[in-house]
Structure formats: C-alpha cells, structure tokens
C-alpha cells in the first residue's frame, strides 16, 4: 500500500567546517505518523530539523514535504508546519499572548484572539497570558513553544526535544498532548529525542541516527519487539548449563557466553520457564536481566557520544 | 537748456560762497530745522561675502545725535553709512578747506575737505560735496582708521527737509578677520586677506518730521531695537 | 509586508533601548537651548563679532532657527550612535534572543524579513530625526522666537529671510534622515553578520569616528581618500542654507548616500538569504 508521504528526505548532507553534521541521511514520514527521530546528542538531529524548516540550507540531497520540494515551495510548506526548534525562545519583553499574536499574524492565516486563548488553554498557560515571557519558567516556555507551534493549526508538527528540562509531570503532559494531537487531531508529528523510552511511549515509527546518518529505521513495534527479549543470565557454572541445554529447544536461543554470563534471545513468556528449568536442574541463577537489543545498541552509542 | 544754464550761471555763482565755514554753517542751520524725525528705510546689501536679503527698518533721530533703530526682522546697517545727520561728520574739532566747485548729477556742489585736528574720531580725512542751493550734502568720501574708505552718494528727491530719499554707500576694507569664523571651511583657509568692496543701497521713505519724539524712545532695549550713541564714528 | 513592518515597529517600540535615543534628545536639546538662552546673545557674537564692527545689527538673530542650525551642526556623532543602538539590534537581537527560529520558520520569505526590518529601522530613524526637529525648533521657538537665520558658509555670511528658512530646515532634516539612513543600513549590515548587537553598534561607530578623523586631519593622503568616505557627504545638509543653493553638490551627495544605502541593504539581503541560522 502506497502511503501518503509527508516528509521525504533523500541523501541529505550538511557539513560545518570539518564536522559532517548530517551525512547522506534518508527517511520517510507518512501521514498520521508519530515519527520518533532518535539519536544521541550531536547525532545531527537538530541540523536535520533546521534543514527541514529551512533555517539552514543543505549541502546535498533533497527534502520533500507534502510531496513538494522544500526549496521551491518553502512558504507554502511552512504555512502547514508548526515547530519547536531546540530550546523555546520568545520575545521576552512581550506577553505570552502578544508573542502568539505576532507569530500568528505571520503564519499565513487569520488567527483570532479566541484561537490564541484556546491554544494557551491547551498548554495550561491561559492564566498567565498577560505576563511577559521573560518571567516564565523553562517549563512554561516549553509549553508556550508548543502553543506557538499549534497556533496556525498546522498539518505537520515538528518537535525538537520538547521535554528537555521538564520534570516527570511536565514530560507526561507533553506526551499526553502528543498523543492527543495525533489521535484526536490527526496531526502528523515528527518528534526528535535522545531518550528511547520517550519515543517508545508515543511513536509508531522511528529512526535512530548517529553521526549524521540513519542506523535503524522502522516500526517501533518491530524494532522494540517486546516479545523478543535479550536476557542476560548469570549462573555459577556456564559450562554445565551449556551441557544441560544442548538437548533442549533453548539451545537455539543462546547467543553468547562470556565467563558465567550467558545471553539468550527469548520470547518474554519463556524467561520464567528457563529459570525454572535451570533451578530444577541444580543450577544456581545469580541474576536474570532482561534487556532489549535496540536499547543496548542505543545505550552504547549514547554512551559513546557523551563519553 | 544749455542757454538757460548759461544765463543763470552768474546768479548761482553770486549766491555761492567759497568760505568753507560759511558753507558748513549754512548746512548746519538748514539741518537744525529738523528737531527730530522718523523714517522707514529699505536696505539692500551688495557685498561679496555677505548674502543678505532686502531688509526694512525704522530709524528715529532726535537732535543732537540720538538715534534709535527699530525693525520687525533682522536688519544690518553699515556703521559708517548710517547717514542720519550731516553733523555726524563734524563732531570733533576740524579744519575745513574749500577746494573747488563741481557738478554732481546735474547739481553744482562745493567740495570741502574736513581735516580733524586730533585723533579722537575714526575719520582721517573727509571730503564733502555740498549743494549750497539746498544746503545738503550730495556726496561724502572718507578715509577711516579702522574700516578702510567709504563714499556716500545721497539723493534728496523733493523732500521738504534736508533729508535724503536714497543713499548709496560704497566701502573698501581689508578682508581679514571678517572671514576667519569658519575654521572648517577650505575656501576661507586658503584665501589670504584681500581688499574687498561693498555697496549698501538705502532708500528712505515716510519721513515724519518734528512730531516731538520722546527721549524714552531712545532708551528702549530689546531684540528688535538698537540705540546708537554718538560714537558711531 | 505592511503587517510585517507593523510587527517590527511594535517590537522596536517595546524595547526600552529604543527610547534611549528619544530620551537623550529630549534631555540634550533642552540643555543646549537653555544654556544658549542663559548665555544670551554672547553665543551668537562669536559668529557676528567681526562684522558687527562694520555693521549695526538690529533684530532677532538668536532665534529658533539659529539654535536649531547650531544643534544640527554639532550632532554628527551623537545621533549616529542613537541610530546604531536600534539598527544594530534589528537582526542580531533576534539571534541573541534565539527568536530567529520562531520567526524564520514562519511562512514568510527572508527577503520580507530583512526588508520589513530595514523599513522599520528607517521609520525609527525618521521618527528620531523628526523628534530632533520638533524639539529643537519647537523649544527654540518657545525660548527664542523666530527670525532671520545667519549662517557662515564658504567664507560668506549668509542671512536668510524669515520666510525663506523653514523649507530649508525641512530639506536639511530630510537630508539628515538620508545620512542617518546610511548609518542605519551599515549597522543593519553588521547586524546580519553576528549574533550579538554590541558588535554592530561598536563597529559602525568605529567606522564613523575613523572616517571623521581621517577627514579632519589635513594630510594630503587623508584628504585624497576623503571623497571615498561616505561621512564626507553627510554634512551637505548645510548646503540647503546656502544662497543660492548648490543643487549639483546636493544631488551628488544625495546620490552617493542613497547608493550607500542601496549597497549596504543589498549586501545585507544577500548575506541574510544565505545565512544558516544556528542560534
């Protein structure tokens, strides 16, 4: 089935002096997606988003949004996009309302004051609409950032790390809002994040990028298949366990053995069974840690990026 | 016309004096008929480094030497050329010498030289052309200590009193400090002091004579007034 | 576009730095005028002392025109500073605040952004000059009244008739607007290059001061480059007080200054359209 492509990025590259920020990136976002754009800090997420919004121009490659070339249809495309790019900055000397009014006026359509108040209500800032933005906390600015992205009722919403700096309650509110916008308002959402868990909770499709290019792409369900866990089992004698399992169906699931740590790829419902079998056969199981392969991978590249 | 002039000539010569003191006394007596007057003046200045529009002012005079100038707007009048009274040339001690008679603009005039006897005034040597028939000065040529030389040509029209209806003032002075004000100006920097000449044309109208001007008028002070004391020269 | 200009003006006039210029003029001009009024005609005498030996002056030469002329003459450095304060902030201010991101991601072209900001900056410049004109002439009228204007120019003393002056002031202020337009567009150009408003303000002022110093020093090499410095044409406003007016000189200066504005604006547009927004 040919789905409606909302964003189509082909062979996108951007270099800053010696650093290749984005390197031959390809991705597709379809209508109705909540698309997780995942990568560690410095992976090229923001550079990609800036190119999607024409803040910076690509060295190479093509961006199509709503099936049209961004380069040639910039204004038409931007009128249907709402976005937060990095931290939410506003005209601090103006009120929240006035900021939205100004941004609304240049959004290509008439924005009523009723609409402004509705959007402020959606992000729970309606009581502070008169306050100057410079008096706002980071969380309030983050919410106002979402408000300005929604003010002109865009089809595509691009959110760059929208939960950065928020407390768990604030993070949850934003997640709920994303789900609401996707489910109730049928928006397509492009969500960048460096936290896998966050993407997993809201996205249906995702891509992981590192060093400017795509590493993994697909449906979140498939990529994070909860039925196939990577389970690290720590035992007292791995040789004995190997022998014991050699005749069982679990032999196929064994991936690696290092010292007394054995890694199995297992469906979730078999974890308990394996444990029971080992214990019944006199094996001392010190620890049984289920992890997911993608999570491991992501953790590795994130650690590399931050280390 | 020539014929008539020829006929009249002996009579005129008869009425004329060659004695400078008599001529000057007659001049003074004639002017003393005027106790005070006011007059509207129109001033046109033609000086190369002065670009000034036509100006109007009102001059008040009261004997012996009270002068008051009033103007709605700005007016600049030459200090030496502010002719209000023929007596202004005769204030200090002097010797007068009769030189000759000349015809000026069709009028016969006696040329009198005035030589000051001391250094008090600014005038060094003054020559006056006096019309003895009307007892008025037709022309003055003078050398001053500070302001170069000047000449005045006076016309009287048909005024009842010996007061001019127009006057052309021509002066020659060294252009020195006059133009040092504009330090940033290239032209003035490069130009060396030079002789400059200028003309001021004054026409007098609406004389009001002997109506008794109060002394207080000559003591007024203000932006639009100027009182000139007797030391004009 | 008008909507954008309105928004830019709204932003300009919501910043307190905008009012520094208006406040400075509102303090400085009255100070000068009260000082002159206190000094009385003494402040005029330095102009007229020499000719007063030859001529008697009657009338009100110490009037609002004289004072306003004097003020216009002495503000060659101060007004540019007040202009750069706002013009240098127009683009760089958005960079500093990070608001480029919410502005440029809107469906408006960069051409529109640059042009609307430029026009808003010019309107600010216009209002500042208008304010200067109103305060100098208005307060001057209140303190000194009107009268003829005495001007010293090219070794001449020019006295202009009372009813022959006001239009000259209008044109002179108009010319001052053009000069300040050059200052504004230069600051605007620098503003497009950097992420902080201090840079454009200092750079623009440094250029103006250096140019003025070069013009003022009487060394042949400096004098020979003087025609290439835009500051050399900023004083031509005083030509409107010449009699007769040297139209050729004014047209030359106006064209040179206008060309500067166009070139500076063109560069700004060129730079800004290519600019990667990284703030």
């Amino acid at each position: 089935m040919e789905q409606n492509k909302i964003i189509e990025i082909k062979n996108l590259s951007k270099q800053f002096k010696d650093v290749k920020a984005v390197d031959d990136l390809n991705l597709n976002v379809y209508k109705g997606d909540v698309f997780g754009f995942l990568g560690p800090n410095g992976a090229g997420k923001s550079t990609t988003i800036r190119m999607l919004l024409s803040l910076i121009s690509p060295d190479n490659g093509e961006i199509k949004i709503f099936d049209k070339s961004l380069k040639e249809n910039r204004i038409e495309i931007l009128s249907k996009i709402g976005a937060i790019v990095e931290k939410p900055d506003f005209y601090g000397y103006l009120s929240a309302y006035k900021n939205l009014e100004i941004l609304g006026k240049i959004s290509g359509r008439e924005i009523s004051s009723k609409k402004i108040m509705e959007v402020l209500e959606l992000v729970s800032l309606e009581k502070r609409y008169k306050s100057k933005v410079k008096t706002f906390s980071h969380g309030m600015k983050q919410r106002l950032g979402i408000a300005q992205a929604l003010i002109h009722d865009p089809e595509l919403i691009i959110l760059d790390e929208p939960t950065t700096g928020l407390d768990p309650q604030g993070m949850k509110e934003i997640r709920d809002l994303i789900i609401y916008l996707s489910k109730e308002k049928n928006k397509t959402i492009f969500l960048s994040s460096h936290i896998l868990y966050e993407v997993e909770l809201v996205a249906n499709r995702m891509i992981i990028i590192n060093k400017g290019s795509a590493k993994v792409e697909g449906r979140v369900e498939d990529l994070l298949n909860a039925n196939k866990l990577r389970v690290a089992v720590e035992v007292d004698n791995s040789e004995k366990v190997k022998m014991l399992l050699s005749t069982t169906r679990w032999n196929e699931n064994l991936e690696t053995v290092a010292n007394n740590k054995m890694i199995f790829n297992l469906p979730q419902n078999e974890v308990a069974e394996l444990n029971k079998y080992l214990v019944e056969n006199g094996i001392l199981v010190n620890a049984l840690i289920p992890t997911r392969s993608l999570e491991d991978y992501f953790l590795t590249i994130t650690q590399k990026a931050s280390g | 016309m020539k014929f008539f002039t020829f006929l009249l000539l002996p009579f005129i010569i008869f009425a004329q004096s060659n004695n400078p003191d008599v001529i000057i006394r007659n001049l003074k007596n004639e002017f003393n008929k005027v106790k005070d007057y006011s007059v509207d003046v129109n001033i046109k200045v033609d000086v190369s480094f002065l670009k000034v529009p036509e100006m109007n002012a009102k001059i008040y005079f009261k004997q012996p030497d009270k002068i008051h100038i009033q103007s709605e707007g700005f007016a600049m009048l030459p200090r030496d050329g502010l002719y209000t009274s023929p007596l202004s040339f005769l204030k200090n001690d002097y010797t007068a010498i009769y030189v000759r008679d000349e015809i000026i603009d069709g009028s016969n005039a006696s040329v009198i030289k005035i030589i000051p006897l001391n250094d008090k005034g600014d005038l060094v040597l003054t020559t006056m052309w006096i019309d003895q028939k009307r007892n008025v000065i037709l022309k003055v040529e003078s050398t001053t200590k500070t302001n170069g030389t000047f000449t005045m040509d006076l016309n009287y029209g048909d005024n009842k009193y010996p007061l001019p209806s127009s006057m052309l003032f021509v002066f020659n002075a060294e252009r020195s400090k006059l133009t040092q004000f504009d330090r940033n100006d290239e032209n003035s920097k490069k130009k060396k002091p030079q002789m400059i000449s200028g003309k001021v044309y004054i026409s007098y109208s609406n004389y009001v004579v002997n109506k008794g001007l109060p002394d207080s008028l000559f003591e007024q002070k203000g932006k639009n007034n100027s009182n000139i004391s007797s030391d004009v020269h | 576009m008008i909507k954008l200009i309105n928004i830019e003006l709204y932003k300009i006039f919501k910043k307190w730095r905008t009012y520094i210029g208006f406040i400075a003029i509102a303090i400085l001009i009255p100070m000068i005028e009260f000082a002159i009024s206190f000094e009385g005609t003494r402040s005029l005498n330095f102009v007229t002392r020499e000719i007063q030996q030859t001529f008697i002056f009657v009338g009100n030469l110490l009037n609002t025109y004289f004072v306003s002329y004097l003020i216009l003459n002495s503000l060659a450095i101060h007004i540019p500073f007040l202009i750069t304060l706002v013009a240098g902030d127009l683009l760089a201010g958005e960079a500093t605040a990070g608001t480029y991101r919410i502005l440029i991601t809107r469906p408006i072209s960069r051409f529109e952004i640059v042009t609307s900001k430029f026009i808003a900056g010019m309107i600010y410049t216009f209002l500042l000059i208008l304010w200067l004109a109103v305060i100098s002439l208005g307060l001057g009228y209140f303190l000194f009244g009107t009268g003829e204007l005495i001007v010293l120019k090219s070794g001449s003393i020019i006295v202009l008739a009372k009813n022959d002056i006001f239009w000259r002031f209008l044109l002179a202020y108009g010319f001052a607007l053009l000069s300040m337009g050059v200052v504004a567009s230069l600051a605007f150009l620098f503003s497009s290059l950097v992420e902080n408003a201090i840079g454009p303000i200092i750079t623009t002022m440094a250029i103006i001061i250096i140019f003025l110093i070069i013009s003022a020093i009487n060394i042949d090499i400096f004098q020979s480059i003087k025609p290439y410095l835009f500051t050399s044409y900023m004083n031509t406003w005083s030509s409107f007080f010449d009699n007769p007016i040297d139209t050729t000189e004014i047209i030359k200066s106006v064209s040179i200054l206008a060309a500067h504005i166009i070139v500076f604006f063109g560069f700004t547009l060129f730079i800004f359209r290519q600019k990667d927004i990284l703030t």
Side-chain angles (χ1 to χ4, degrees):
Chain A
M1 178 187 121
E2 181 61 27
Q3 274 180 292
N4 229 338
K5 275 184 195 165
I6 297 292
I7 302 176
E8 185 179 4
I9 294 179
K10 272 186 190 165
N11 311 109
L12 192 69
S13 297
K14 178 74 183 179
Q15 184 151 356
F16 295 113
K17 288 177 186 159
D18 303 337
V19 185
K20 270 207 165 159
V22 176
D23 187 8
D24 201 23
L25 180 71
N26 292 281
L27 68 80
N28 294 305
V29 177
Y30 299 96
K31 190 164 173 58
D33 273 353
V34 174
F35 186 87
F37 189 51
L38 195 62
N41 292 325
K45 298 193 299 292
S46 277
T47 306
T48 307
I49 286 179
R50 278 168 191 266
M51 284 192 277
L52 280 176
L53 293 164
S54 80
L55 283 167
I56 61 182
S57 45
D59 294 339
N60 272 308
E62 201 194 351
I63 298 172
K64 274 188 175 177
I65 300 178
F66 306 120
D67 219 20
K68 281 178 179 163
S69 159
L70 175 64
K71 211 174 166 186
E72 278 132 45
N73 303 279
R74 180 178 167 273
I75 290 183
E76 188 199 331
I77 289 169
L78 285 180
S79 69
K80 291 190 275 185
I81 301 181
I84 307 179
V85 186
E86 290 182 24
K87 65 182 168 43
D89 283 317
F90 289 91
Y91 301 108
Y93 50 92
L94 302 179
S95 69
Y97 181 90
K98 203 75 209 181
N99 267 284
L100 292 186
E101 191 187 13
I102 283 178
L103 295 170
K105 272 184 187 165
I106 53 175
S107 295
R109 62 179 72 179
E110 285 304 310
I111 308 294
S112 64
S113 56
K114 188 170 159 251
K115 173 75 186 174
I116 296 172
M117 288 314 291
E118 269 174 29
V119 174
L120 280 168
E121 224 164 294
L122 191 67
V123 295
S124 319
L125 282 173
E126 73 278 10
K127 282 177 188 146
R128 294 292 303 274
Y129 77 103
K130 268 186 173 171
S131 309
K132 287 191 175 170
V133 174
K134 65 183 171 196
T135 65
F136 279 18
S137 69
H138 177 77
M140 290 163 81
K141 280 189 201 166
Q142 198 72 268
R143 280 184 278 152
L144 188 60
I146 291 180
Q148 65 82 26
L150 301 177
I151 188 77
H152 52 301
D153 211 13
E155 287 176 37
L156 169 65
I157 299 166
I158 297 176
L159 302 173
D160 187 7
E161 309 257 4
T163 56
T164 309
L166 298 184
D167 58 18
Q169 176 60 28
M171 285 170 141
K172 185 180 182 305
E173 279 171 15
I174 298 226
R175 281 199 299 271
D176 291 346
L177 188 62
I178 291 169
I179 291 165
Y180 165 82
L181 290 169
S182 169
K183 295 276 182 314
E184 307 293 325
K185 300 281 177 185
N186 299 315
K187 308 287 185 196
T188 303
I189 294 165
F190 185 93
L191 170 72
S192 98
S193 177
H194 64 281
I195 303 160
L196 177 63
Y197 169 72
E198 192 177 85
V199 170
E200 186 189 345
L201 286 177
V202 294
N204 64 319
R205 295 181 63 257
M206 64 180 243
I207 188 171
I208 295 177
I209 71 161
N210 192 32
K211 290 180 181 156
S213 53
K215 302 297 174 197
V216 183
E217 185 183 2
R219 292 171 52 82
V220 173
E221 249 176 38
D222 300 341
L223 295 176
L224 291 175
N225 193 341
N227 287 326
K228 271 235 171 107
L229 290 178
R230 242 169 140 245
V231 185
V233 182
E234 276 180 45
V235 292
D236 54 348
N237 187 338
S238 60
E239 285 307 309
K240 196 175 161 192
V241 173
K242 239 174 148 179
M243 290 284 291
L244 184 68
L245 293 181
S246 60
T247 56
T248 68
R249 58 193 156 107
W250 285 306
N251 197 33
E252 285 171 29
N253 297 95
L254 182 60
E255 193 186 285
T256 52
V257 181
N259 298 326
N260 283 333
K261 194 171 176 180
M262 311 180 77
I263 310 285
F264 292 89
N265 281 312
L266 285 174
Q268 194 167 19
N269 53 6
E270 291 194 17
V271 177
E273 264 182 69
L274 175 65
N275 186 30
K276 190 181 169 205
Y277 181 79
L278 293 175
V279 173
E280 279 173 1
N281 286 284
I283 305 293
L284 206 61
V285 178
N286 291 327
L288 199 139
I289 309 155
T291 61
R292 294 176 297 185
S293 54
L294 193 69
E295 202 160 6
D296 271 354
Y297 170 73
F298 191 68
L299 205 65
T300 319
I301 60 170
T302 307
Q303 276 163 353
K304 267 188 199 159
S306 59
Chain B
M1 195 65 197
K2 241 178 188 174
F3 173 73
F4 278 104
T5 314
F6 197 72
L7 269 184
L8 288 167
L9 201 60
F11 173 75
I12 294 165
I13 290 166
F14 181 73
Q16 299 237 113
S17 169
N18 285 346
N19 182 338
D21 294 328
V22 172
I23 296 171
I24 288 172
R25 197 178 59 235
N26 289 341
L27 184 73
K28 281 183 176 173
N29 288 340
E30 181 67 18
F31 188 73
N32 279 337
K33 291 178 191 167
V34 178
K35 304 290 173 225
D36 59 42
Y37 69 81
S38 69
V39 65
D40 294 332
V41 291
N42 173 272
I43 308 142
K44 288 175 198 151
V45 178
D46 178 11
V47 181
S48 58
F49 67 95
L50 278 176
K51 290 172 186 168
V52 180
E54 266 188 54
M55 296 163 293
N56 292 299
K58 201 177 185 77
I59 297 177
Y60 296 87
F61 174 83
K62 188 171 185 177
Q63 294 277 19
D65 56 8
K66 285 199 176 97
I67 300 166
H68 174 68
I69 306 168
Q70 221 170 41
S71 118
E72 289 271 308
F74 166 75
M76 60 193 289
L77 298 108
R79 276 186 197 275
D80 292 323
L82 186 71
Y83 181 87
T84 47
S85 151
L87 311 180
S88 56
F89 304 106
L90 307 165
K91 270 182 304 211
N92 295 312
D93 295 338
Y94 62 89
T95 302
I97 302 165
Y98 169 82
V99 184
R100 63 179 176 273
D101 274 17
E102 271 179 17
I103 306 286
I104 290 184
D105 291 337
S107 303
N108 200 335
S110 306
V111 183
I112 307 287
K113 287 201 184 290
I114 309 288
I115 302 158
L117 294 176
N118 56 42
D119 288 341
K120 278 186 201 162
D122 193 39
L123 297 174
V124 179
L125 176 69
T126 307
T127 311
M128 300 198 287
W129 283 256
I130 296 169
D131 177 350
Q132 289 198 48
K133 198 178 154 204
R134 297 179 66 178
N135 283 314
V136 290
I137 300 175
L138 295 180
K139 183 177 174 179
V140 179
E141 215 174 78
S142 187
T143 306
T144 67
K145 283 182 203 158
T146 53
N147 280 328
T149 64
F150 66 81
T151 66
M152 282 180 191
D153 285 294
L154 295 138
N155 285 302
Y156 291 86
D158 46 12
N159 279 344
K160 186 179 154 199
Y161 291 94
L163 296 168
S165 58
S166 70
M167 192 255 289
L168 175 67
F169 176 79
V170 179
F171 68 94
N172 283 284
E174 194 177 86
R175 185 188 190 182
S176 56
K177 291 174 184 168
L178 274 174
T179 51
Q180 281 184 358
F181 40 74
D182 199 354
R183 278 185 206 130
N184 291 322
D185 188 72
E186 314 244 321
N187 296 330
S188 66
K189 251 184 242 167
K190 287 171 186 165
K191 276 182 192 161
K192 283 175 184 161
Q194 52 180 323
M195 291 304 290
I196 50 124
S197 60
K199 289 178 192 164
V200 180
Y201 186 82
I202 301 178
S203 68
Y204 302 80
S205 57
N206 302 326
Y207 276 106
V208 178
V209 184
N210 294 341
K211 290 285 187 255
L213 294 174
D215 282 346
S216 58
L217 181 70
F218 300 91
E219 277 137 35
Q220 276 184 27
K221 288 223 166 116
K223 279 174 183 168
N224 295 318
N225 300 305
S226 180
N227 292 310
I228 316 296
S229 55
S230 54
D231 62 337
V232 166
H233 293 294
Chain C
M1 194 62 157
I2 289 167
K3 199 158 63 180
L4 271 175
I5 295 168
N6 279 332
I7 289 172
E8 288 306 326
L9 282 173
Y10 182 82
K11 289 196 284 198
I12 287 177
F13 284 97
K14 273 286 173 176
K15 286 189 179 179
W16 82 272
R17 74 163 67 207
T18 306
Y19 297 94
I20 294 175
F22 291 94
I23 293 166
I25 287 173
I27 292 171
L28 199 63
I29 307 300
M31 260 169 63
I32 296 171
E33 294 202 351
F34 279 116
I36 291 174
S37 137
F38 184 72
E39 282 276 304
T41 44
R42 262 188 294 171
S43 54
L44 183 70
N45 285 348
F46 82 94
V47 178
T48 59
R49 192 172 46 233
E50 302 292 346
I51 13 176
Q52 289 224 38
Q53 289 180 355
T54 319
F55 287 92
I56 300 161
F57 279 29
V58 194
N60 183 18
L61 280 181
L62 182 65
N63 54 50
T64 183
Y65 294 133
F66 178 74
V67 172
S68 301
Y69 185 90
L70 213 64
I71 288 168
L72 201 51
N73 215 357
S74 56
L75 294 181
I77 302 260
H78 316 86
I79 301 291
F81 178 71
L82 301 176
I83 301 286
T84 53
L85 216 52
V86 167
D89 187 55
L90 283 170
L91 288 164
E94 302 264 357
T96 314
T99 43
Y100 265 152
R101 298 196 304 268
I102 49 170
L103 186 64
I104 297 178
T105 54
R106 299 285 147 182
I108 41 174
S109 69
R110 291 201 185 187
F111 171 81
E112 286 176 302
I113 292 173
V114 172
T115 309
S116 62
K117 279 183 174 291
F118 180 77
I119 291 171
M122 286 297 168
I123 291 172
Y124 161 79
T125 308
F126 168 75
L127 291 174
L128 200 66
I129 300 285
L130 183 69
W131 181 243
L132 173 73
V134 167
I135 298 246
S136 347
L137 286 171
L139 182 66
Y141 178 76
F142 179 71
L143 287 176
F144 308 103
T146 59
E148 287 74 8
L149 175 63
I150 187 162
V151 171
L152 313 167
K153 203 168 187 321
S154 308
S156 297
I157 294 166
I158 301 164
V159 176
L160 298 166
K162 207 168 167 177
N163 55 10
D164 190 31
I165 303 173
F166 191 68
W167 67 274
R168 293 171 193 269
F169 266 104
L170 288 185
L171 290 174
Y173 283 120
F175 188 91
L177 172 63
L178 189 70
S179 303
M180 292 307 111
V182 177
V183 174
S185 44
L186 183 61
F188 191 59
L189 170 61
F190 291 134
S191 186
S192 72
L193 295 170
V194 294
E195 265 77 58
N196 188 318
I198 306 292
I201 293 169
I202 291 174
T203 317
T204 310
M205 283 317 293
I207 286 175
I208 291 169
I209 290 166
I210 289 167
F211 280 14
L212 287 175
I213 289 171
I214 289 174
S215 303
I217 295 174
N218 229 335
I219 299 174
D220 278 350
I221 187 160
F222 282 174
Q223 290 305 309
S224 63
I225 55 171
K226 200 175 160 184
Y228 302 100
L229 310 177
F230 67 84
T231 47
S232 308
Y233 302 93
M234 286 173 32
N235 273 331
T236 312
W237 63 267
S238 64
S239 290
F240 286 109
F241 297 93
D242 220 334
N243 202 4
I245 289 176
D246 184 350
T247 339
T248 330
E249 197 200 341
I250 289 173
I251 290 172
K252 186 184 163 199
S253 294
V254 166
S255 324
I256 289 172
L257 293 176
H260 272 83
I261 293 178
I262 292 165
V263 168
F264 289 157
F265 175 70
F267 265 119
T268 313
L269 198 58
F270 177 78
I271 290 164
F272 193 73
R273 287 179 86 166
Q274 322 259 318
K275 193 181 171 78
D276 281 345
I277 305 300
L278 301 170
T279 51

